Amino acid sequence: MILGHWIKYKFIVNLSNFREGLMKAQVLHSYDPDMKQDVWVKEEEVPNPKLEKSTDVIVKIGAAGVCRTDLHIIEGVWRHIQDPEDKLLPCVMGHENAGWVEEVGSDVEGFKKGDPVILHPLISGGTCLNCRRGHDMHAADGAFPGLNIKEGGYSELLRTGVRNLIKLPTILTPKDVAPFSDAGLTAY
């Protein structure tokens, strides 16, 4: 099975085929409640993400962990919550991500192209009451890449917010830490 080799450790994106305007991604097109399909995701070219807000950051994905949650998405376990109107698919899963800053919005400070980063899995705007209290996991506008929005980290590039980046020390590489973005940072 396509995800079979990912589950052991990490999914590492091959950036050698990066092309202007398009990137490669692993795309989920249908739910498989019984997990019996031979292939769950297909490699496709999809449009590169673009900066939308001045606080957005585009990250070149270096590694994306495979979480049991990703398998639940394939199974459709939370379909009634995540996709009640059947509009989520096709989507690119992947919420355990790490990589290098590729592009920053005009209001982003403290990060530059090439900085190694790990991404908190919840994208939050930072202005709601919960965010201002430091409770981003309860953000009114929170979004999880590949869970309740179509764009996740099983791709070459991912758009996120500057609030969701944590700079990595140079002794760590994205492939060393990507799975910790969920198991470690979610509790933080």
Side-chain angles (χ1 to χ4, degrees):
M1 293 186 200
I2 287 253
L3 281 180
H5 68 279
W6 295 353
I7 294 169
K8 288 183 181 175
Y9 301 107
K10 306 168 192 73
F11 166 65
I12 300 173
V13 176
N14 177 357
L15 297 174
S16 63
N17 296 322
F18 182 73
R19 295 203 275 213
E20 192 67 37
L22 293 174
M23 66 176 175
K24 295 209 181 283
Q26 299 294 322
V27 182
L28 175 68
H29 285 276
S30 63
Y31 297 107
D32 183 11
D34 299 319
M35 302 291 283
K36 292 187 178 184
Q37 294 175 11
D38 289 334
V39 176
W40 294 314
V41 298
K42 295 180 182 169
E43 185 175 288
E44 298 178 11
E45 286 190 339
V46 299
N48 289 344
K50 297 188 181 340
L51 297 173
E52 295 177 9
K53 299 176 187 172
S54 61
T55 55
D56 281 349
V57 177
I58 305 292
V59 175
K60 185 184 294 187
I61 298 297
V66 175
C67 180
R68 177 64 193 163
T69 299
D70 296 313
L71 300 179
H72 286 322
I73 293 166
I74 293 167
E75 292 172 307
V77 170
W78 299 304
R79 186 175 180 179
H80 64 287
I81 297 168
Q82 292 176 277
D83 194 16
E85 299 175 14
D86 283 326
K87 294 182 180 179
L88 182 62
L89 301 184
C91 82
V92 177
M93 297 181 299
H95 60 279
E96 297 181 350
N97 304 303
W100 300 270
V101 172
E102 179 67 17
E103 186 178 359
V104 297
S106 59
D107 289 336
V108 172
E109 295 179 1
F111 293 95
K112 66 184 181 319
K113 184 173 180 166
D115 284 343
V117 292
I118 187 170
L119 287 68
H120 190 283
L122 180 75
I123 300 170
S124 59
T127 58
C128 73
L129 184 59
N130 281 324
C131 287
R132 289 175 184 227
R133 290 180 172 163
H135 303 294
D136 288 54
M137 288 302 294
H138 302 287
D141 63 349
F144 279 92
L147 274 87
N148 65 350
I149 58 173
K150 292 178 174 264
E151 300 82 18
Y154 297 164
S155 58
E156 294 178 301
L157 299 168
L158 179 66
R159 181 180 55 83
T160 190
V162 67
R163 287 179 56 85
N164 306 93
L165 298 181
I166 297 171
K167 203 177 287 188
L168 293 175
T170 55
I171 61 169
L172 292 175
T173 63
K175 70 182 177 89
D176 296 328
V177 299
F180 296 115
S181 66
D182 188 12
L185 296 180
T186 303
Y188 153 73

